[in-house]
Amino acid sequence: KIQKGDSGSERAKQKNTSSDCSLTFTPFSLHPYTYLSNITMCIPCCFTISTAEVGVIEKWGKYSRLVQPGLGIIMCPMEQLVGKLSFRVQQLDVRVETKTLDNVFLTAVVSVQYQILKEKVFDAFYALTNPAQQITAHVYDVMRSQLPTLELDAVFEAKEELALSVKNALSATMTAYGYQILQTLITDLDPDQRVKNAMNEINSSKRLKFAVAERAEGDKILQVKSAEAEAEAKYLSGVGVAKQRKAIVDGLKSSIVDFSGGVNGTSSKEVMDLLLLTQYFDMIRDVGSAKHCRTTFVPSSKTSGDDVRNAMMQAEASKIV
């Protein structure tokens, strides 16, 4: 039988001496720090998740739950925020160096735009160690299998087909891991600098050849038009000369008729010689009045008109001397 206020030694003594006691007590200390040393403490910890993100919580190293945007609380160290995933559209630029069918090396830049599927966050976080490396490997595989089948000129024309092939290959693989491939773009095709210079030379030569052909065609048109204009000018000049001569003949005819009717005993030939001599003097006057005019007179026939002309020229020459 135990009384209130008995010490531990007295209780032990009574245990040994009393044979009718059925309860056994173990000595213990009432100090509170004895219990704290044997109990693990869990501390509440606060954190925040931004908009368009989701947090992944593990409890004792095992997946526990997802945390939506806003303020969150976990019990440390029992629970841990092991990572965050963003639902924003992300872009990965991959540079691929390969050769074409005509053995030209070029560098292609492929931009992959992707997004995490909200219903597959667990797969997106735990299935892949490095998603960017996985996407890069698939881009390398598709580009290095497609480009060697095309020549350099055909590569620039088949950009859309190449981008579609990369997108289909990535979509078939990455959807199972929780990633949606939104768009795949080939943003740059950069061959070697010497190849670009050669292509520029070829293009420049073609354009120069076309320019020379066009220039020659232009010269041809100018010459044809010039010849047509000259022919038309000569035709009109001939028409003018013919009309002039007809007018002269008509005038001479009228003068001869009038002179013959006014002067008796003159023949038509004498009247014609007189008219021709008059025109000859008019011609001499026009030539002599021109500036810097030098004329050599060569007799061509022996007629009365020539004799008169020669006499007048000799008289004029004697005045000058």
Side-chain angles (χ1 to χ4, degrees), residues 93-106:
D93 295 330
V94 183
R95 298 183 64 88
V96 183
E97 184 178 3
T98 183
K99 76 179 187 68
T100 60
L101 183 62
D102 47 354
N103 296 322
V104 176
F105 282 86
L106 59 85

Side-chain angles (χ1 to χ4, degrees), residues 92-137:
L92 176 64
D93 295 330
V94 183
R95 298 183 64 88
V96 183
E97 184 178 3
T98 183
K99 76 179 187 68
T100 60
L101 183 62
D102 47 354
N103 296 322
V104 176
F105 282 86
L106 59 85
T107 301
V109 179
V110 182
S111 298
V112 181
Q113 298 175 355
Y114 62 95
Q115 187 180 31
I116 295 176
L117 297 173
K118 294 183 178 181
E119 62 273 12
K120 292 187 177 182
V121 175
F122 180 86
D123 295 331
F125 187 81
Y126 288 102
L128 297 177
T129 304
N130 191 343
Q133 186 176 2
Q134 187 84 2
I135 294 175
T136 301

Side-chain angles (χ1 to χ4, degrees), residues 40-60:
T40 302
M41 297 296 294
C42 291
I43 304 173
C45 299
C46 298
F47 62 91
T48 58
I49 301 296
S50 301
T51 304
E53 289 185 350
V54 64
V56 181
I57 304 297
E58 290 184 353
K59 182 176 182 180
W60 301 124

Side-chain angles (χ1 to χ4, degrees), residues 141-162:
D141 179 68
V142 175
M143 295 297 291
R144 289 180 174 173
S145 62
Q146 294 287 335
L147 287 181
T149 62
L150 301 173
E151 294 185 352
L152 182 60
D153 294 337
V155 171
F156 288 93
E157 299 174 359
K159 287 178 59 179
E160 297 296 333
E161 291 78 2
L162 292 173

Side-chain angles (χ1 to χ4, degrees), residues 49-233:
I49 301 296
S50 301
T51 304
E53 289 185 350
V54 64
V56 181
I57 304 297
E58 290 184 353
K59 182 176 182 180
W60 301 124
K62 182 180 179 181
Y63 170 76
S64 175
R65 67 185 185 277
L66 299 176
V67 182
Q68 300 302 320
L71 178 65
I73 299 176
I74 57 175
M75 303 302 295
C76 299
M78 180 178 64
E79 295 179 328
Q80 289 184 351
L81 177 65
V82 295
K84 298 178 182 179
L85 292 178
S86 175
F87 293 123
R88 297 184 180 93
V89 177
Q90 305 177 56
Q91 178 168 314
L92 176 64
D93 295 330
V94 183
R95 298 183 64 88
V96 183
E97 184 178 3
T98 183
K99 76 179 187 68
T100 60
L101 183 62
D102 47 354
N103 296 322
V104 176
F105 282 86
L106 59 85
T107 301
V109 179
V110 182
S111 298
V112 181
Q113 298 175 355
Y114 62 95
Q115 187 180 31
I116 295 176
L117 297 173
K118 294 183 178 181
E119 62 273 12
K120 292 187 177 182
V121 175
F122 180 86
D123 295 331
F125 187 81
Y126 288 102
L128 297 177
T129 304
N130 191 343
Q133 186 176 2
Q134 187 84 2
I135 294 175
T136 301
H138 282 82
V139 173
Y140 279 165
D141 179 68
V142 175
M143 295 297 291
R144 289 180 174 173
S145 62
Q146 294 287 335
L147 287 181
T149 62
L150 301 173
E151 294 185 352
L152 182 60
D153 294 337
V155 171
F156 288 93
E157 299 174 359
K159 287 178 59 179
E160 297 296 333
E161 291 78 2
L162 292 173
L164 183 60
S165 299
V166 175
K167 181 181 179 181
N168 294 336
L170 288 175
S171 299
T173 304
M174 300 303 296
T175 303
Y177 297 118
Y179 290 88
Q180 179 185 6
I181 306 300
L182 300 177
Q183 190 63 267
T184 302
L185 305 173
I186 299 180
T187 57
D188 189 18
L189 292 172
D190 187 18
D192 186 78
Q193 185 62 39
R194 291 174 296 179
V195 177
K196 290 192 289 186
N197 293 338
M199 294 177 66
N200 291 334
E201 289 291 336
I202 294 174
N203 191 19
S204 177
S205 299
K206 289 182 179 179
R207 292 183 179 275
L208 288 176
K209 181 179 178 181
F210 179 76
V212 170
E214 290 296 322
R215 188 181 299 112
E217 187 67 21
D219 294 339
K220 174 185 175 182
I221 294 174
L222 288 176
Q223 292 179 2
V224 170
K225 292 298 181 181
S226 177
E228 292 177 354
E230 184 179 0
E232 185 68 19

